[in-house]
């Protein structure tokens, strides 16, 4: 099989073409939003136990696609944009939101 991970259908339009999330990106996104693990769990519908298991691991998150997509959607709806590896490391930024109150 010649499956290329970079062409994964998991990438969304909002993530600038990245196809995986790293634990560092999750921690950084939470920090930018000032969310604790419980808030991320509530917003993503992913259990706190799962978030606690995934965050300390280095590198790409090892979880099923449904879990990764749920985390990604929760962050993106709050204004987080995931940045791909570009030689300086994968990252996140907080986009300006028009729905801020």
């Amino acid at each position: 099989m010649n499956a290329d991970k970079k062409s994964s259908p998991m990438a969304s339009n909002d993530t600038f073409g990245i196809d995986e999330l790293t634990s560092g990106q999750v921690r950084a996104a939470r920090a930018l939003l000032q969310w604790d693990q419980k808030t991320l769990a509530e917003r993503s519908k992913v259990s706190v136990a799962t978030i606690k298991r995934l965050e300390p691991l280095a590198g790409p998150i090892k979880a099923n696609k449904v879990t990764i997509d749920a985390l990604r959607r929760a962050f993106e709806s709050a204004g987080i944009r995931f940045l791909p590896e570009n030689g300086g490391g994968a990252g996140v930024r907080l986009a300006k939101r028009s729905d801020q109150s």
Side-chain angles (χ1 to χ4, degrees):
M1 292 198 168
N2 193 8
D4 182 1
K5 289 176 89 175
K6 298 297 180 199
S7 65
S8 167
M10 190 183 339
S12 78
N13 292 335
D14 292 336
T15 61
F16 301 101
I18 68 166
D19 61 353
E20 58 189 18
L21 289 179
T22 67
S23 57
Q25 286 175 304
V26 171
R27 292 188 307 272
R30 279 198 316 104
L32 283 171
L33 295 169
Q34 298 180 352
W35 285 1
D36 58 15
Q37 290 176 331
K38 182 179 179 204
T39 301
L40 176 56
E42 290 167 354
R43 302 278 178 108
S44 66
K45 308 296 187 225
V46 172
S47 74
V48 173
T50 297
I51 294 166
K52 285 181 184 247
R53 178 180 58 83
L54 296 174
E55 279 194 353
L57 304 174
I61 288 180
K62 305 254 190 286
N64 66 49
K65 184 180 182 322
V66 172
T67 299
I68 294 169
D69 286 348
L71 294 170
R72 183 190 314 268
R73 276 192 307 275
F75 284 132
E76 288 176 347
S77 69
I80 293 294
R81 297 299 173 252
F82 295 95
L83 307 173
E85 168 67 51
N86 63 359
V92 297
R93 71 178 164 104
L94 183 57
K96 195 175 210 180
R97 296 179 299 176
S98 59
D99 64 349
Q100 272 184 315
S101 37

